[in-house]
Amino acid sequence: MFIEQGLRQLTDATRERIPEIYEEIRRRLRAEAHTEGAPDNPQLSSAESDTILASLNDVLTHISDPNSPLTRASNEALREVRVSVQAGVGLHDLLHASRIGQSVTWSFLLDEAYRSIPDTQERAAVLRHASARQFAWNDAVSSAIVEAFQQQSAAYALQSHERRKMATLNSLLAGLPVDTAVLDYSLRGQHLAAIVSGTSPESVARTIGQHMKMSLRPLVASTPNGMGFLWIPWPRRSGPPKDELGDMSVAEGAHVAFGTVNEGLEGFRVSHRQANEAHNVGKALELSITWYEDTSLEALALHDTAAARAFVHEELEPLGDIDDPSNVLIETLRVYFTNGENAVLTAQKLDVHPRTVAYRLRSAESKLGAERLRRGEFAVALRLGRLVSALPREDVGPETNPGLPTPAL
């Protein structure tokens, strides 16, 4: 019992001197620690200060209370490790700084033990227990620092690699000369680009490989805002992507937009631009998978949505509200022209009697006139009507992807 009382008495007295201990640790760090890799770094200095104070309180608590959990490392210490990795401070320097703090703390504990515990035998017993508990705490914290440093170093290296990759892609797509070694991807051959949102581009790449039944080495990149960018080296012996991947599915809420297969460096850029434009269309129409070859007209309309809206309204206005999803005349005509003006197939698609389709076609012709109904512009307006209806009224242009530019081609 006297040992636990002595430990509490010792740690209480030492805790009163934390400001002194803190200043002595900082002085020793400035004199002995080797942190030349990050001189005068205010963020690192702040993290170091927080760590010292948190560690002093933690170790004194563990020495005084045998039932307290053995703290591996405080949040402050882990933050210091993260900041140190980013500042280029090595693991040896971090452990050296930790040992300085432990040494200074033990010196103050010894000083207070001789000052506050006059009995020699009692003091020796208390110090043996204090030493054992401080050693256990030091050992646990040092192990945690090593583990955290390894994890942070690996994560930071990966982040640095991704930043270099994104910078290289930005330059490459902008048409600038750049060393592409960091991409680990051949720009020769054929490329199929994709834009991915709502899921990881890595998972989409795996799905494509499974459908192709072959091992592919895609180029994958992601931006902080969650957009994914993908380039697939398209095998020459394979068929068109839409045929090969037509039954592919993606996770709920995800969207994948594909460009077309193109050759070489220029094709790498072209396919990405197409995928970007297809993604804008697919997002507006809430599609899960979008093919540029199916939406090139809609992609063009997105470059001037005000003009597209005016064109659609001018062509379709006699048929009623183009934004009304229950407008059966517009929907019937859209399906009719999509299916090669085949009334029987249109009836099957709409699940109505062929006579109903014929009646609706006559009704539309009476509103528009036979000649206007057969103009190529009218079929285009029907196709663009869904897109125009899906866009907000204030929409003024296509969404841009801040992660990668669309090069002027």
Side-chain angles (χ1 to χ4, degrees), residues 129-210:
H129 282 77
S131 175
R133 292 180 187 180
Q134 190 198 24
F135 181 84
W137 185 89
N138 293 345
D139 188 54
V141 168
S142 295
S143 297
I145 289 174
V146 172
E147 181 182 347
F149 186 90
Q150 292 171 338
Q151 292 175 348
Q152 290 296 324
S153 294
Y156 188 66
L158 179 61
Q159 293 168 5
S160 297
H161 178 77
E162 284 300 310
R163 283 193 291 269
R164 292 197 304 274
K165 182 192 289 187
M166 291 302 298
T168 300
L169 283 170
N170 272 300
S171 298
L172 186 65
L173 291 171
L176 301 175
V178 63
D179 181 0
T180 61
V182 69
L183 301 180
D184 191 25
Y185 180 86
S186 175
L187 295 171
R188 298 190 181 95
Q190 299 186 131
H191 315 281
L192 173 68
I195 305 289
V196 180
S197 60
T199 189
S200 71
E202 291 85 0
S203 67
V204 174
R206 287 193 297 270
T207 300
I208 291 174
Q210 292 166 0

Side-chain angles (χ1 to χ4, degrees), residues 249-316:
S249 60
V250 296
E252 184 177 355
H255 175 56
V256 182
F258 291 98
T260 62
V261 174
N262 285 270
E263 183 87 21
L265 173 58
E266 196 65 12
F268 180 91
R269 294 170 177 148
V270 169
S271 191
H272 171 74
R273 174 183 59 79
Q274 293 173 338
N276 182 60
E277 295 192 355
H279 184 268
N280 291 328
V281 175
K283 186 174 181 180
L285 295 178
E286 298 182 347
L287 305 176
S288 57
I289 296 179
T290 309
W291 299 92
Y292 177 78
E293 60 197 85
D294 293 339
T295 56
S296 55
L297 178 63
E298 287 82 355
L300 181 63
L302 280 181
H303 286 277
D304 191 342
T305 56
R309 189 183 300 280
F311 167 71
V312 170
H313 275 271
E314 183 178 345
E315 289 291 326
L316 304 185

Side-chain angles (χ1 to χ4, degrees), residues 14 18 20-30 32-33 48 51-57 59-60 63 80 93-109 134 137-138 141-142 145:
T14 306
I18 281 181
E20 291 179 64
I21 304 174
Y22 170 84
E23 290 299 332
E24 178 61 16
I25 292 174
R26 290 304 300 264
R27 186 193 67 78
R28 289 274 302 275
L29 286 173
R30 288 191 293 270
E32 300 177 34
E48 186 179 76
T51 299
I52 294 171
L53 293 173
S55 297
L56 285 171
N57 280 293
V59 70
L60 292 176
I63 292 173
E80 183 187 6
D93 297 323
L94 275 173
L95 292 175
H96 182 61
S98 179
R99 285 193 293 270
I100 288 175
Q102 295 161 9
S103 174
V104 171
T105 302
W106 181 246
S107 295
F108 274 81
L109 283 166
Q134 190 198 24
W137 185 89
N138 293 345
V141 168
S142 295
I145 289 174

Side-chain angles (χ1 to χ4, degrees), residues 186-237:
S186 175
L187 295 171
R188 298 190 181 95
Q190 299 186 131
H191 315 281
L192 173 68
I195 305 289
V196 180
S197 60
T199 189
S200 71
E202 291 85 0
S203 67
V204 174
R206 287 193 297 270
T207 300
I208 291 174
Q210 292 166 0
H211 271 72
M212 299 289 291
K213 294 182 173 59
M214 64 178 63
S215 177
L216 302 170
R217 290 181 58 84
L219 170 58
V220 180
S222 300
T223 63
N225 66 357
M227 295 294 293
F229 303 92
L230 185 64
W231 284 266
I232 300 292
W234 196 255
R236 294 188 183 280
R237 65 181 180 275

Side-chain angles (χ1 to χ4, degrees), residues 43-122:
Q43 189 177 14
L44 181 57
S45 179
S46 172
E48 186 179 76
S49 296
D50 292 343
T51 299
I52 294 171
L53 293 173
S55 297
L56 285 171
N57 280 293
D58 285 349
V59 70
L60 292 176
T61 297
H62 186 69
I63 292 173
S64 66
D65 182 6
N67 297 317
S68 66
L70 184 60
T71 305
R72 285 182 56 77
S74 64
N75 290 333
E76 291 82 0
L78 297 181
R79 183 171 76 89
E80 183 187 6
V81 171
R82 183 175 65 253
V83 174
S84 296
V85 168
Q86 296 173 358
V89 177
L91 178 59
H92 171 79
D93 297 323
L94 275 173
L95 292 175
H96 182 61
S98 179
R99 285 193 293 270
I100 288 175
Q102 295 161 9
S103 174
V104 171
T105 302
W106 181 246
S107 295
F108 274 81
L109 283 166
L110 282 175
D111 187 40
E112 284 303 314
Y114 277 91
R115 189 183 65 82
S116 61
I117 307 175
D119 184 271
T120 303
Q121 291 185 339
E122 184 176 334

